[in-house]
Amino acid sequence: MTVLNTTIRRWSRFASGLLLASAALCVPLQAQVPAPEPASPAAQAPAVPQDGPPAGDGALDAARVDTFLDGLVPYLMAQGDLAGAVVTVVENGRVVTERGFGFADVAKRTPVDPQTTLFRPGSISKLFVWTAVMQLVEQGRLDLDTDINTYLDFQVPTKGQPITLRQVMTHTTGLEERMRHLIVLGPDHPDTDEQYLKDWVPEQIFAPGTKPAYSNYATGVAAYIVARISGQSFEDYAQAHILGPLGMQYASFQQQLPAELLPHVANGYRLGSGDAWLAEKTTAPGIGGLYASGGSMARFMLAMLNHGELDGQRILRPESVAQMFAPQPAILPHLPRMALGWMTSDTGGYDTRSHGGTTLFFYSWLYLVPERNIGLFVSTNSAGRDAAGSALRAQVWERFVAEFLPQRPIVAAGPGVDADTARAHAAALARVSWQSTRRSDSSYLRVVNLLSPVRIHPQADGTITVDGQKGLNGQLLRWREVAPWLWQEAHGRGLLEVKIEDGKPVYFSAGPFASVFGYEPFPAWRSPGWLRPALLVSLALLVLSALLRVGGVFVRRHYGVAAPVDARGLRAAQTLSITVLLAGVLAWALYAQAISAPGGVADYRDLPLLLVQALSWLGVLAALVLVWVAVRKPATWPRLRRFGSWVVALAGLVLAFVSWTQGLLTTGVQV
């Protein structure tokens, strides 16, 4: 049983992690690796040179920035077992520094060259899709508020009103997550963007414009629209209208890179001390398929900070850039909003525009502070130990702002609430099991929500904590209520806000990722609050029953006692049904392990999934047989055996109910 529980938990962590990875939402708030201990000299931010300019005077000193990065990045890489990293910083129309750390190829000891080494920025690629969309809007060939289906040769479902490009750019399409064909291994893999976009169109689980739910699929649709309207593949369009004009020589959306770029690709690693993996292929390249060096990303940052122009080459009008940077309406007014394709956030009191990117092996983030004309790009080519890649990109940015920009005081977002109100509100939130608005809801991946619900926990000091929301020190963040249904991070700027309807909490979100997803309650009939314990108890009872039956065989053999002959058929049916149910659970666990390799969910084979789905259907039949046995049990059975027949029947019904409610009975290979 312990092994089974461990396997299920591993599958839950894997699937949840991959969903977040594909969205590039491992934001600083969720960093999992503890910050370096202050006592460690290597972890200390370097002291300001006595003859250097004061921090934040508007002219970053390259030597100071290099010293800062040299003291921080190698330490974090060593702590997290990362192979290589790149950091570029720009300010006021110039490149301040471009730094490479570690190795692009560990086996060959090839160092990272910030100018030429190609990293995989992941979902930062989406910024180029939005740039392309805005270019076509400028030309009058696209409209942000027109039904996207008017631009397509297939139909995306809608709930009551059409989906628009504005909703695509703000991740409010309401579409569920789509995994199959998303990221596969090997640049020559046969999967295509047509397969990703057309072989199964995901369902719309919210009305468009009502809730944020980060959508890779919707971005893929936007890139496809760019291709259809322009008459070029997105890869060629981006090269001709963005990468080429900006002089991004070491950048490409081609998944099979041109020969001149191939020698410059950084290998991807799970751990820097481990083996390199095949190159990742994003079948719809606009979602996350960019290859780019740190130097090339610096040119993109310079262009965006300069209102769409670099070295006399204009990719966007100033008003288009301003429109992209402008926050859009949000469901929770106090939290960071989504701009047109850019995430907004507060870093050290500075209004930031950014986007993250996470692939299977590369962790990246691009940050802009328009008011200071500063940009920073950071990327690693390894996931690292305990998501160290995610922690590094967060710590580099947070510490950079603290070191080089004038400190701004933390301002309370409200006057506070009385202790009784805080306790009552915390208790109301704690009674609810929450699920992310960004989820796969019509396939077997729904089971992830059952296995990994989000819970809110009241603390003795009047604060609350939320599962998974950690600071840079690896500890759960504590939130204190500063106004009714509004919490502020203790000793920080982050906010958590709850939406109330009819006196009940119906939605909450927090921190930088509030612009792209939030949390809503599970329906009571399939809430993990009761269903997950029921599942575990039922599994334990079925395993115990199976062990007792096997043990009974050996005991009878030892004592030479014959098996009872009364109702032998019922006992056999009961034993077979229990075996089928446990075999189905084991099959799903083994299937989860089989797809846990990088790219596994996106690139699974059809037959194994169809087989485990068939076993789930047999499990439903087996549960009904157990009920039939419990009803037909003979009076000659001992009372304990008759009671036990109902116990295993109820346990079987719980497993059948889980299969039905969690998508394990879906037929076909949609995911």
Side-chain angles (χ1 to χ4, degrees), residues 57 69 91 116 144 189 245 251 285 306 333 338 541 562 622:
D57 68 350
L69 294 174
E91 182 196 33
T116 63
L144 294 182
H189 193 284
N306 194 40
M338 193 72 191
L541 290 172

Side-chain angles (χ1 to χ4, degrees), residues 148-156 194 197-198 221 224-225 228:
I148 60 173
N149 283 324
T150 63
Y151 302 120
L152 296 171
D153 57 354
F154 63 97
Q155 293 291 300
V156 176
E194 296 268 342
L197 294 173
K198 295 182 179 180
V221 170
Y224 186 70
I225 288 172
R228 282 180 53 79

Side-chain angles (χ1 to χ4, degrees), residues 486-529:
L486 178 66
W487 284 257
Q488 186 165 357
E489 179 187 342
H491 313 297
R493 305 174 192 273
L495 297 175
L496 181 154
E497 190 170 6
V498 178
K499 183 178 181 180
I500 300 296
E501 290 182 356
D502 298 326
K504 297 180 180 179
V506 296
Y507 179 84
F508 89 89
S509 194
F513 59 81
S515 58
V516 289
F517 69 91
Y519 299 92
E520 62 177 1
F522 282 84
W525 58 277
R526 59 178 179 88
S527 171

